[in-house]
Amino acid sequence: MNDVRCVINITDLSVEELDKLMDLADDIIADPVKYSEKCKGKKLATLFFEPSTRTRLSFESAMMELGGNVLGFSTADSSSAAKGESVSDTIRTVGCYADIIAMRHPKEGAPTVASLKTTVPIINAGDGGHYHPTQTLTDLLTIRRERGAIGDFTIGLCGDLQFGRTVHSLIYALLRYENIKYVLISPDELRVPDYVRDELNEAGVEWKEVERMEDVMPELDILYMTRVQRERFFNEEDYIRLKDSYILDMDKLKTAKSDLSILHPLPRVNEISVTVDDDPRACYFRQVLNGKYIRMALILTLLGLGQKGEDR
Amino acid sequence: MNVDGVNNGIVLDHIQAGKSMEIYRILRLDKLTCSVAVIQNAVSEKYGKKDIIKIDENIDINLDVLGYIDPNITVNRVIDGKLSKKEHLELPEVVTDIIKCKNPRCITSVEQEIVHKFRLADREKRIYRCIYCDAEHK
């Protein structure tokens, strides 16, 4: 590994660094003008070897709001990867053009390979089903802004907990904070993998697994929704029996706390009824906005421009 | 069965019975010009049976490779017919280009030039994980 600071996994950041990033994001939100030219003359390369409109636009928007410029590609077809160039070579080349790189790749570990050769900071914008640290940063910032602090709450994580990388990352990140109870809501087939269960046990936190959202709704302070895909079920009968348990609607929210925070990494399909969108407890569109601010904070920090409270 | 003793060289002792040829291959002992003896299924008080490799030259040996294959191996270095050093191995923290990642979703599955590297994730359970994709080596 070389000395260039990269963020490949959420655990690359200490709790102190996470808190500093969130403080900076809060400061940007409070006074965006102060940061509007911080990255003037700097360039962000968005290297998207697989398409992801949402994440790419979030990064590009973040850099633009910092007064910087953006270059890059949005599919592997439009990059030299289509000609067979290695990730390492692409990164070394792009390092000659840009000051910082946000990279998404369909293969797991590609950003780690890139980080070994890079001359500029790299942010992993998702590598297959592996890591997606800026989504977790987004989730943490949203929790902190909605609840005031990260800790002293019960979080329900609902949906596909077996394959959902956002859920695993969020659990790993939250385990470093105090006094959080975990309620894992999923069909039996889609429970968290053993290695996540091991982490929960090792951390000695309070956690439980349930099948139905309705059964635990009154306990929850945060509900983190993810999508349950039909093709994940072993049989149609189970899918039909359980699918409604994983669709959040106003009826299910009747027993929920009045200050519940509903999060979702998006995109959603039908797991949250659109009737919930106007409820003040729905945080998922504010979460999208937080994603841009935390990416601004991360870009500033990795470029060494992250000192909070400085004037332009 | 009698095999000549080593005068100046290395004796790899306490190899798990049946593993000696794997070690012979990985350490590329066939490339040596000195005498090399592979003894299989020798009697061992500790393990019942063991393999032994005797190399009649003090060559450089990658102890990480040996430690990964079998951490119970003892490396005896012999000088002028006397035991000069006895080394006990342990599982290495990192193994490089000994094992390959089998995860089809790993970047190493499409880029042939990448060095396959694994880090020791659990010493007790002997679990190694790919440094790129975190997949457990099985």
Side-chain angles (χ1 to χ4, degrees), chain B residues 70-134:
Chain B
D70 183 354
N72 295 318
I73 293 173
T74 315
V75 180
N76 300 301
R77 293 191 186 270
V78 181
I79 295 174
D80 294 333
K82 288 179 184 165
L83 180 67
S84 78
K85 198 176 177 189
K86 201 180 191 76
E87 293 172 87
H88 294 282
L89 302 179
E90 57 177 28
L91 286 176
E93 287 295 329
V94 176
V95 290
T96 304
D97 262 349
I98 301 170
I99 44 177
K100 301 266 181 201
C101 184
K102 292 174 188 162
N103 175 8
R105 298 179 305 277
C106 180
I107 184 69
T108 55
S109 70
V110 288
E111 292 203 6
Q112 310 305 321
E113 300 301 317
I114 296 172
V115 175
H116 286 246
K117 245 181 177 178
F118 286 76
R119 63 183 160 74
L120 183 59
D122 190 324
R123 188 172 289 277
E124 217 167 274
K125 294 179 187 164
R126 289 196 66 170
I127 294 172
Y128 279 87
R129 290 190 183 277
C130 172
I131 65 156
Y132 308 109
C133 71
D134 290 300

Side-chain angles (χ1 to χ4, degrees), chain A residues 15-36:
Chain A
V15 171
E16 193 188 12
E17 286 173 318
L18 290 174
D19 291 342
K20 272 188 183 170
L21 278 172
M22 288 188 274
D23 290 345
L24 183 56
D26 282 340
D27 203 54
I28 294 168
I29 293 166
D31 189 0
V33 177
K34 193 166 76 185
Y35 293 89
S36 62

Side-chain angles (χ1 to χ4, degrees), chain A residues 203-235:
Chain A
V205 296
E206 200 175 312
W207 69 280
K208 65 179 175 183
E209 290 177 306
V210 296
E211 270 209 334
R212 286 159 42 91
M213 190 195 305
E214 300 91 315
D215 297 341
V216 291
M217 192 62 92
E219 301 169 30
L220 305 178
D221 300 303
I222 298 168
L223 176 58
Y224 192 92
M225 292 292 297
T226 62
R227 187 174 151 220
V228 171
Q229 291 165 285
R230 192 185 197 121
E231 55 271 27
R232 300 282 195 210
F233 281 83
F234 296 129
N235 60 64

Side-chain angles (χ1 to χ4, degrees), chain A residues 18-81:
Chain A
L18 290 174
D19 291 342
K20 272 188 183 170
L21 278 172
M22 288 188 274
D23 290 345
L24 183 56
D26 282 340
D27 203 54
I28 294 168
I29 293 166
D31 189 0
V33 177
K34 193 166 76 185
Y35 293 89
S36 62
E37 292 187 15
K38 279 267 190 183
C39 284
K40 198 174 176 184
K42 300 285 183 189
K43 289 179 292 252
L44 165 76
T46 50
L47 310 186
F48 278 59
F49 294 85
E50 73 171 357
S52 166
T53 313
R54 178 182 314 271
T55 305
R56 183 170 57 83
L57 292 185
S58 181
F59 269 109
E60 294 184 354
S61 164
M63 191 55 165
M64 286 174 186
E65 292 210 14
L66 292 166
N69 291 304
V70 174
L71 66 164
F73 51 83
S74 54
T75 64
D77 298 344
S78 55
S79 80
S80 48

Side-chain angles (χ1 to χ4, degrees), chain A residues 114-176:
Chain A
S115 72
L116 297 172
K117 297 287 181 189
T118 192
T119 52
V120 300
I122 293 177
I123 303 169
N124 180 7
D127 56 335
H130 195 211
Y131 297 139
H132 190 3
T134 56
Q135 179 62 54
T136 310
L137 284 171
T138 302
D139 299 340
L140 291 175
L141 179 64
T142 303
I143 289 171
R144 199 175 90 157
R145 288 186 65 79
E146 296 292 332
R147 312 298 310 178
I150 301 177
D152 299 314
F153 55 69
T154 299
I155 183 169
L157 299 130
C158 177
D160 180 353
L161 306 187
Q162 184 173 14
F163 299 98
R165 67 178 172 187
T166 56
V167 169
H168 304 166
S169 276
L170 182 57
I171 290 174
Y172 289 147
L174 290 177
L175 281 175
R176 298 193 281 172

Side-chain angles (χ1 to χ4, degrees), chain A residues 298-309:
Chain A
L298 186 59
I299 290 168
L300 282 170
T301 302
L302 291 178
L303 287 175
L305 303 168
Q307 295 79 13
K308 190 170 65 112

